[in-house]
Amino acid sequence: MPELPEVETVRAGLSRFLPRKQVQDVWHDWPKGFPNALADVQQFVVGAHITEVRRRAKVLLIDLDSAYTLVIHLKMTGQLVYQAEHERFGAGHPSDSLVGKLPDKSTRVIFTFADSSRLFFNDQRKFGWVRLMPTTEVENLDFFRKVGPEPLAADFTPRQFAERLMRRRGSGIKAVLLDQTVIAGVGNIYADESLWGAKIHPLTLVQDIPPRKLTALYTSLRAVLELSIQKGGSTDRNYVNAEGKRGSYLTFANVFRRQGQPCSRCGTTIIKIRAAGRGTHLCPHCQKQ
DNA sequence: CACTTGACCTGTCCGC
DNA sequence: TGCGGACAGGTCAAGT
């Protein structure tokens, strides 16, 4: 569920809090979710200072001044929540935030900093992970070598978008949008929303989409991602930002989880089908195959 | 080789 | 009310 806008929202929040913090302690259960040897964590994380928080695709990168980086993927139900020391105890926490309620039963990793503030990695379904590696090796990870361009990058053009989509000419457009090696950061929510915006049926084969509709999809995808970042991302169940608060984009969604409701453009009832193995939402009138 | 399906997990919801 | 099964969806590995 955390897709580009959600991960970007977490990144923005963490970069307000984390730079210059010194790590004092790292606790974790669930070795599969943080597979590094304890000795390496002790040597390269404990005592180190955080220098920067970055994002690439749906992956968060927390750089340390030990020349190591914590690489974090939230997958579907991961959360990264920062809690300042004074927020730990007692009442007074906003009821719409997880802050003050952590750790809880889905807490997998806790970073404690020298000023007693803490960073919690929560993950109900344990699909997410944290791993430590030298900063210079991050770009050599298989995932980063193959991942496509950032759709919101200033130099990402409609032409580039169309060319990359056409590499997968035999496939349905939804499957292609979800393919991280084509375009980075798009998941189920924004695939559905951007296709509705461009009036394209999710199962349409890429080579059957006219150029003008590809341009519309480029525009629609960028608009949807930008609006979602502005709204703090989408919260269906689990997602929260670095302050433990939910995002409000789904209030503005046109099709995602809106099956049975009228299309905001034409009034036709939104339906849910299966495409690329995922629940897929569309307006059968606006998005003809 | 390109595409699809299953595995990884847990919690929730639905029908019987 | 209890219980089994479907479902949620990001990514990799395995299968077709």
Side-chain angles (χ1 to χ4, degrees), chain A residues 1-6 58 75-76 173-180 184-196 202 221 224-225 234 236 249-250 253 255-257 259 272-282 287:
Chain A
M1 207 146 346
E3 306 179 28
L4 188 156
E6 290 75 32
K58 300 172 190 171
K75 289 288 180 87
M76 252 106 61
I173 181 63
K174 172 142 178 180
V176 178
L177 285 175
L178 293 175
D179 183 343
Q180 299 300 295
V186 182
N188 208 35
I189 298 173
Y190 304 104
D192 284 4
E193 291 297 312
S194 61
L195 288 168
W196 178 86
L221 176 62
V224 157
L225 295 174
S234 296
D236 182 38
Y249 174 81
L250 285 186
V255 285
F256 190 78
R257 295 281 160 81
Q259 63 271 28
K272 182 175 178 183
I273 63 168
R274 226 149 164 91
R278 310 294 167 84
T280 297
H281 312 75
L282 68 137
Q287 297 167 268

Side-chain angles (χ1 to χ4, degrees), chain A residues 38-210:
Chain A
L38 205 58
D40 289 338
V41 175
Q42 284 296 322
Q43 186 174 355
F44 300 114
V45 182
V46 175
H49 296 77
I50 292 172
T51 56
E52 198 180 353
V53 184
R54 298 179 286 146
R55 177 190 64 78
R56 174 77 170 100
K58 300 172 190 171
V59 180
L60 278 162
L61 303 166
I62 300 180
D63 293 324
L64 301 164
D65 65 359
S66 57
Y68 272 67
T69 293
L70 291 161
V71 184
I72 303 176
H73 204 306
L74 302 175
K75 289 288 180 87
M76 252 106 61
T77 55
Q79 306 170 324
L80 274 173
V81 180
Y82 172 82
Q83 189 168 287
E85 198 279 338
H86 67 272
E87 294 173 318
R88 281 176 70 172
F89 306 107
H93 301 301
S95 60
D96 64 346
S97 171
L98 276 185
V99 168
K101 304 182 180 71
L102 297 174
D104 65 22
K105 64 179 172 181
S106 66
T107 299
R108 311 289 171 213
V109 187
I110 306 174
F111 297 93
T112 303
F113 302 108
D115 63 2
S116 297
S117 60
R118 293 186 290 177
L119 177 66
F120 296 89
F121 176 67
N122 277 13
D123 188 12
Q124 177 188 101
R125 288 175 68 180
K126 299 183 172 179
F127 284 9
W129 44 260
V130 178
R131 62 197 50 168
L132 177 70
M133 66 175 58
T135 305
T136 53
E137 284 180 22
V138 171
E139 63 189 74
N140 297 325
L141 278 175
D142 242 25
F143 177 82
F144 285 116
R145 296 169 71 97
K146 292 190 219 154
V147 74
E150 290 288 326
L152 293 181
D155 59 358
F156 182 62
T157 63
R159 184 185 179 140
Q160 228 182 320
F161 180 69
E163 280 173 2
R164 295 192 71 89
L165 293 186
M166 285 308 164
R167 295 178 175 193
R168 294 278 310 270
R169 47 184 43 255
S171 304
I173 181 63
K174 172 142 178 180
V176 178
L177 285 175
L178 293 175
D179 183 343
Q180 299 300 295
T181 69
V182 176
I183 307 291
V186 182
N188 208 35
I189 298 173
Y190 304 104
D192 284 4
E193 291 297 312
S194 61
L195 288 168
W196 178 86
K199 302 186 181 178
I200 299 170
H201 192 287
L203 295 173
T204 311
L205 298 183
V206 167
Q207 75 266 27
D208 293 341
I209 303 175

